[in-house]
Amino acid sequence: MVMPAIAASAGHGSRAESVVRADEKTGHLVRATVARPRAAVAQLNESGRSLAVADQADLLQMIDRVAAEQGVESSLVHSVIRAESNYNAEAVSAKGAQGIMQLIPSTAKRFGVDDAFDPQANVEAGVKYLKFLLDYYHDDYVRAIAAYNAGEGAVDKYKGIPPYRETLNYVYQVAKNLKAARAKQSAARTVTASNAPAETYKRIETSVGSDGRIYYRTP
């Protein structure tokens, strides 16, 4: 017998639902978090909820600004986001991680986030967590990235990347993203510099006058 799924709202204005359904193999009840349909989100927005980021350009600018405010390398933040949700503000993982930076409920609560599907609140909390990890591991990017996926406890226990396939793949993917992001940023700086007008400097000539003083002039 297949039991129907039982859904419960994760809270007023939330874009996620806690769903309980029977596992087909064991018959045990299993709880999971799923995103509400986009139509439901639109209704929430129309009922007074502020629309988040207007478009992709605004989103990217907001991420760069938050990274700068927290003193975290922008390329690292973008690399983590690309690996976590690929900029999908409504993403929900099988483990219940939510939003752009895939905050689990305990991390969202830890950084004072009421709505993990709000792009700015999500990014601010995710970047603050990254900053915490970078400070905790003394700017060791590998451990900080591993801890963002597996938690500080696991990284401390194994004194490095935990031997979990998911975490190993995650660190590899973020590192790959970071390398590409840095290369793109470097290329953009080179193009900007090459297009900038050349600066000219006037030569300064010196001479000694009959009074023994040194005089400077530009030709």
Side-chain angles (χ1 to χ4, degrees):
M1 178 180 179
V2 179
M3 294 182 62
I6 304 172
S9 172
H12 177 68
S14 174
R15 299 183 194 177
E17 292 177 331
S18 179
V19 177
V20 178
R21 55 166 58 90
D23 185 282
E24 294 182 0
K25 294 183 179 180
T26 65
H28 296 160
L29 293 179
V30 178
R31 181 181 296 275
T33 303
V34 298
R36 284 180 174 178
R38 190 176 292 270
V41 174
Q43 290 175 1
L44 291 172
N45 288 329
E46 290 168 3
S47 66
R49 187 188 191 83
S50 60
L51 288 168
V53 181
D55 55 34
Q56 188 74 356
D58 287 342
L59 176 61
L60 298 179
Q61 289 177 9
M62 181 269 287
I63 293 169
D64 289 340
R65 175 178 55 76
V66 172
E69 289 173 351
Q70 294 300 321
V72 178
E73 183 184 355
S74 178
S75 293
L76 174 62
V77 177
H78 283 284
S79 299
V80 167
I81 289 173
R82 190 171 294 280
E84 290 286 352
S85 71
N86 199 26
Y87 299 93
N88 181 0
E90 298 176 12
V92 179
S93 77
K95 296 181 179 179
Q98 302 171 344
I100 289 180
M101 297 194 74
Q102 290 290 273
L103 303 179
I104 60 174
S106 60
T107 301
K109 183 178 180 180
R110 177 177 174 182
F111 290 96
V113 176
D114 294 324
D115 180 5
F117 293 102
D118 179 272
Q120 182 160 326
N122 188 292
V123 169
E124 286 177 348
V127 174
K128 285 179 181 178
Y129 186 35
L130 266 179
K131 174 63 174 174
F132 167 81
L133 294 172
L134 288 168
D135 289 343
Y136 183 74
Y137 292 113
H138 307 289
D139 286 327
D140 185 329
Y141 272 38
V142 172
R143 293 192 181 196
I145 293 168
Y148 193 91
N149 176 262
E152 307 98 286
V155 173
D156 292 345
K157 176 182 178 181
Y158 291 100
K159 296 180 173 59
I161 305 176
Y164 311 148
R165 178 176 296 180
E166 177 188 332
T167 304
L168 290 168
N169 290 338
Y170 180 81
V171 172
Y172 170 80
Q173 188 59 54
V174 173
K176 182 180 177 181
N177 293 345
L178 182 57
K179 182 178 180 180
R182 285 174 171 172
K184 183 178 180 180
Q185 191 175 58
S186 178
R189 283 198 297 264
T190 300
V191 170
T192 301
S194 64
N195 290 336
E199 296 187 39
T200 57
Y201 300 92
K202 288 184 176 293
R203 189 173 70 258
I204 299 177
E205 295 181 351
T206 61
S207 61
V208 180
S210 58
D211 56 0
R213 293 182 179 179
I214 298 176
Y215 293 87
Y216 300 90
R217 71 185 184 88
T218 55

